[in-house]
Amino acid sequence: TCALPIFIHGYALGFKFTFGANETDHCGWVVDFGGLKDLKQILSDTFDHKLLVAADDPWLDWFKKMHAEPSDHRPCDIVIVPATGCEAFARMVYDVTEQWLKDAGFGPRCWLVSVEVSEHGANSAICQG
């Protein structure tokens, strides 16, 4: 048995994006929501059914060993991030989304104003540029 003082828990995170533009595109939109599929995939690959571990977590090596197990014996899918928590996730998603806007061809006409990450109705963090 393992008697580690680790209390893994999960959240159903929500993301709210605010985009800005001085002019809309040819369809009258700031951002075509149909074009958000790639961003949604990035979020899914990072957060959906993942165990996020901070890069400075004192148990990081243990988590890495656990993740090195063959995939059919691996207890979880680990993503190492700079830090955890709503504030850290808001900053991380803001940075990723800002780059995604450029790569997807929305910029410079459109820009990211803010990203809000919520754990539940009473707890959220907002990152603004």
Side-chain angles (χ1 to χ4, degrees):
T1 64
C2 182
L4 298 175
I6 298 174
F7 304 105
I8 297 172
H9 62 279
Y11 292 103
L13 296 176
F15 301 90
K16 179 181 175 182
F17 300 88
T18 303
F19 299 102
N22 290 323
E23 58 187 56
T24 57
D25 69 7
H26 65 281
C27 294
W29 300 332
V30 172
V31 174
D32 175 4
F33 293 146
L36 296 175
K37 290 176 186 167
D38 290 338
L39 178 58
K40 182 179 178 186
Q41 188 62 51
I42 292 168
L43 294 174
S44 181
D45 291 345
T46 305
F47 294 100
D48 190 28
H49 292 93
K50 309 294 184 192
L51 174 61
L52 279 73
V53 179
D56 65 350
D57 190 296
W59 291 97
L60 182 59
D61 288 339
W62 182 82
F63 283 115
K64 285 180 178 180
K65 286 178 188 172
M66 182 174 55
H67 188 68
E69 293 292 321
S71 61
D72 58 339
H73 290 92
R74 189 179 303 151
C76 57
D77 193 5
I78 295 172
V79 176
I80 299 169
V81 295
T84 57
C86 276
E87 294 81 2
F89 296 155
R91 168 49 61 193
M92 188 172 78
V93 172
Y94 184 95
D95 293 343
V96 166
T97 303
E98 201 171 43
Q99 185 61 51
W100 171 82
L101 276 172
K102 294 173 188 171
D103 295 345
F106 289 105
R109 182 191 59 79
C110 174
W111 62 88
L112 182 61
V113 175
S114 66
V115 172
E116 180 176 5
V117 177
S118 58
E119 294 178 40
H120 48 71
N123 190 21
S124 68
I126 298 173
C127 181
Q128 296 178 322

